[in-house]
Amino acid sequence: MEFTDGLVLLRPLEPADVPAIAAACVDSEIARFTTEVPQPYSEAHARAYVAHAEREWAAGQQRPLAIANARSRAFLGAIEVRLSDPGSIGYWVAPGVRGQGVATRALVLLSRWAVTEGHVERLELTTHPENVASQRVAEKAGFVREGVLRSHIRFREGRRDSVLFSLLLSDI
Ligand SMILES: CC(C)(COP(=O)(O)OP(=O)(O)OC[C@H]1O[C@@H](n2cnc3c(N)ncnc32)[C@H](O)[C@@H]1OP(=O)(O)O)[C@@H](O)C(=O)NCCC(=O)NCCS
């Protein structure tokens, strides 16, 4: 499955993406703000992630995709939605291509699909309270900020709060 708005393309992850995934995932912001990217990160993690993504598409509720340049198909980041009730969505963008609207475009594409064709009635997005860039992305993509979940998840340094956003079909 592929989605595009003409500038950003969401496409399946490919074995050819492994070096770009491994290079991006050593970034300290990804380590600090994402809960599912292992640290330290190696090419073996990237290979396992691509293989896992293929299986998820075949079997599960999870829909992981590469965020790519629509013209060149070059890898820019990753985005993943869980088609559950409530659904959830998460993303990261490689450090060298941040600040150009890539995450926002990707989030708009996949979240709109999830609440329409994916039949997710409530789509949630949570961020670290200090992750201002991701909160900005959520707001730009039309998600509604609902509040702070106290001591929400156990993370590397201990439990942490999360800022909760949601998107309903009626928001778009
Ligand atoms: C969060 C992340 C995905 C954003 O990707 P991106 O492609 O740069 O996002 P966009 O360009 O669409 O938008 C970023 C917005 O945040 C703003 N921003 C970036 N850094 C910021 C900061 N430190 N303080 C305030 N705003 C900031 C940008 O100015 C932009 O907003 P604007 O369009 O109003 O100017 C990227 O920084 C990333 O991968 N971070 C590490 C992993 C992560 O945090 N994932 C999300 C977990 S919830």
Side-chain angles (χ1 to χ4, degrees), residues 27 29-31 33-34 89-94 97-105 125-128 131-137 140:
D27 169 56
E29 299 273 294
I30 292 180
F33 291 138
T34 62
I89 195 159
Y91 43 81
W92 55 263
V93 165
V97 291
R98 289 182 188 156
Q100 302 170 29
V102 169
T104 304
R105 286 176 176 278
L125 188 166
T126 56
T127 79
H128 188 296
N131 195 350
V132 183
S134 187
Q135 291 167 34
R136 185 77 197 108
V137 168
K140 285 195 294 178

Side-chain angles (χ1 to χ4, degrees), residues 89-164:
I89 195 159
Y91 43 81
W92 55 263
V93 165
V97 291
R98 289 182 188 156
Q100 302 170 29
V102 169
T104 304
R105 286 176 176 278
L107 182 59
V108 166
L109 283 167
L110 195 56
S111 63
R112 296 319 185 255
W113 174 77
V115 299
T116 56
E117 287 166 64
H119 305 295
V120 172
E121 292 181 327
R122 173 182 165 83
L123 183 60
E124 294 184 345
L125 188 166
T126 56
T127 79
H128 188 296
E130 291 166 12
N131 195 350
V132 183
S134 187
Q135 291 167 34
R136 185 77 197 108
V137 168
E139 281 163 356
K140 285 195 294 178
F143 280 68
V144 175
R145 186 186 185 108
E146 295 189 336
V148 175
L149 301 170
R150 296 181 305 154
S151 196
H152 179 222
I153 48 171
R154 176 163 292 284
F155 202 40
R156 281 182 258 282
E157 72 277 15
R159 295 198 72 83
R160 69 144 166 98
D161 296 352
S162 294
V163 181
L164 174 67

Side-chain angles (χ1 to χ4, degrees), residues 26-41:
V26 297
D27 169 56
S28 60
E29 299 273 294
I30 292 180
R32 183 169 176 219
F33 291 138
T34 62
T35 52
E36 293 181 11
V37 179
Q39 296 295 327
Y41 201 86

Side-chain angles (χ1 to χ4, degrees), residues 20-21 24-25 30 34 37 49 67 75-79 90-94:
I21 295 170
C25 286
I30 292 180
T34 62
V37 179
Y49 177 59
I67 306 171
F75 182 88
L76 304 175
I79 188 164
Y91 43 81
W92 55 263
V93 165

